[in-house]
Amino acid sequence: MWPFFALLLGLVVGSFLNVVIHRLPKGESIVFPPSRCPACGHRLAPWDLVPVFSYLALKGRCRYCHSPISPRYPLVEALTGLLFALAALFYPPSPQAFLTFAFLALLVALSFIDLDTFELPDSLTYGLLFLGLLSAYLLSFPRPFAEALDGALIAAGVLGLVAGYGGLFLRRFREARAEVPVGPHQVHMAALFGALLGPGVGMALAFLTWALSGRTGKPVVLPDRITLPLLPLAWILAPYLGAELLSTLKGSFLAAGGLALAGGLYWAFKPVNEVNEVNKEAEETDPVAMGYGDVKLLGALGAWLGLYSLLALFLGVFAGALVGLAFRQRKIPFGPYLALGGGVAFFFGETLWQMYMSWLGL
């Protein structure tokens, strides 16, 4: 009975997610006006909005103007319903179950918005992040708070550095334009300082350059051509300098992740026009391997998955590569594949890890 209730709830939530997916990227209210046909603008009646069944009854066409209805709508509803039913098999009726529903709903919304726009809204990525941290703090679900916080920072730091190295190679080692007051340069600096001096000092020094950049209006940063090549050298030399390699790596990723998420939050509160102008200038001058929306999404997954977020990253890269090769696409939105990896890791991460360790004979 509980999985059936979860299925029905998921269908209803999926219907609402269709509104979010359609309106949120446009900056429109997700509450008002009531749902209307996108073709003729006619307000939809309650019997037009029954998840999945209305689409089937109307044979995929608007009741009023007979325009085709995108199959995306019942797909989102059915997918959300099935995911909620799956979650109900893992969790009995409880706050943990409803938190899992929220986790899955946010992943569905983020995936389809990224498919449409190649963007991941900060309101949803940071909502997912803060909900995961709050859940960990209040309920130690799905993992203790310290593990959730470390997972968020490390995951964001790892992908932030992947994006940094990818961009450096795409630019053929040409220096990127530094953003003022904060941007990827500070993330890369934090990683280097975090490896050499510890995550706390690394973040503090990078925040200092952020403050100086904001004060002077000019970028106060080290060039990527210095920080990014020196970082792996710091990792290699760590054991010879009396430091543990794992603690050095952790220091780099924690510091980088802290700057990536804090910097993203700063830009999230800037006026939309200003952010779009900065992004447009960056796209025109510097090719990028990956957007920072993906970095923030993986950081949010880290709050829910801990270090299993790195498994989500691996699964997302694998799935994205398969789809890219199958459809011969050079540019694909990475968010849906991260979400897929995150969902699989959430439910089956520990099982997959144990299978992998058994395969290694450990």
Side-chain angles (χ1 to χ4, degrees):
M1 189 64 183
W2 166 238
F4 180 70
F5 170 79
L7 173 65
L8 294 181
L9 177 63
L11 292 174
V12 173
V13 171
S15 181
F16 174 70
L17 292 181
N18 277 318
V19 177
V20 174
I21 293 165
H22 180 72
R23 297 186 184 183
L24 188 63
K26 300 178 180 180
E28 299 175 354
S29 170
I30 61 175
V31 179
F32 299 104
S35 296
R36 299 175 183 272
C37 171
C40 65
H42 195 288
R43 180 173 175 177
L44 301 180
W47 48 85
D48 298 322
L49 298 171
V50 179
V52 178
F53 297 102
S54 288
Y55 179 86
L56 297 176
L58 294 170
K59 298 180 180 179
R61 293 189 174 272
C62 173
R63 183 189 304 275
Y64 309 99
C65 68
H66 306 292
S67 296
I69 301 172
S70 172
R72 164 79 66 85
Y73 294 103
L75 173 63
V76 170
E77 293 163 353
L79 175 62
T80 309
L82 292 173
L83 287 173
F84 278 30
L86 174 65
L89 297 177
F90 283 81
Y91 301 102
S94 60
Q96 288 83 350
F98 285 96
L99 285 166
T100 303
F101 294 161
F103 168 75
L104 295 171
L106 286 167
L107 289 185
V108 170
L110 284 162
S111 297
F112 283 94
I113 289 175
D114 200 21
L115 284 171
D116 287 340
T117 66
F118 283 86
E119 293 182 359
L120 293 164
D122 289 324
S123 57
L124 298 185
T125 52
Y126 280 105
L128 185 65
L129 170 65
F130 292 132
L131 182 62
L133 293 177
L134 182 64
S135 174
Y137 181 75
L138 295 178
L139 301 174
S140 293
F141 175 82
R143 56 202 68 255
F145 179 73
E147 187 178 342
L149 182 59
D150 278 358
L153 297 180
I154 290 173
V158 167
L159 200 55
L161 290 173
V162 169
Y165 282 109
L168 187 64
F169 285 117
L170 283 179
R171 296 189 304 272
R172 299 179 182 179
F173 294 90
R174 179 173 55 84
E175 188 63 28
R177 182 184 61 85
E179 296 180 9
V180 178
V182 62
H185 280 78
Q186 278 90 351
V187 174
H188 308 153
M189 289 170 57
L192 179 60
F193 295 148
L196 298 174
L197 304 171
V201 176
M203 276 191 273
L205 291 175
F207 275 113
L208 177 61
T209 66
W210 176 351
L212 292 173
S213 296
R215 180 70 176 175
T216 62
K218 298 179 180 180
V220 181
V221 294
L222 292 175
D224 281 346
R225 287 179 294 185
I226 293 177
T227 55
L228 290 176
L230 283 180
L231 180 58
L233 183 62
W235 294 340
I236 293 171
L237 294 178
Y240 300 100
L241 299 176
E244 294 183 358
L245 176 59
L246 287 180
S247 64
T248 303
L249 289 170
K250 185 178 180 181
S252 293
F253 297 145
L254 286 173
L259 259 293
L261 294 177
L265 193 61
Y266 167 83
W267 286 110
F269 283 97
K270 298 294 288 182
V272 175
N273 292 337
E274 183 177 338
V275 175
N276 289 338
E277 185 175 333
V278 170
N279 291 337
K280 184 178 179 181
E281 291 178 3
E283 290 175 359
E284 290 176 349
T285 57
D286 301 314
V288 294
M290 181 179 300
Y292 256 66
D294 300 316
V295 174
K296 289 176 276 191
L297 174 55
L298 188 64
L301 288 174
W304 290 85
L305 304 174
L307 292 182
Y308 284 129
S309 57
L310 301 182
L311 173 62
L313 174 60
F314 171 79
L315 294 173
V317 170
F318 182 73
L322 288 180
V323 172
L325 290 173
F327 293 95
R328 298 182 179 180
Q329 292 179 318
R330 297 183 63 184
K331 181 180 179 181
I332 60 173
F334 192 37
Y337 306 105
L338 277 182
L340 173 63
V344 172
F346 183 87
F347 290 114
F348 307 109
E350 186 173 351
T351 301
L352 291 174
W353 179 251
Q354 290 176 352
M355 290 173 59
Y356 177 69
M357 296 301 288
S358 297
W359 179 70
L360 293 178
L362 299 175

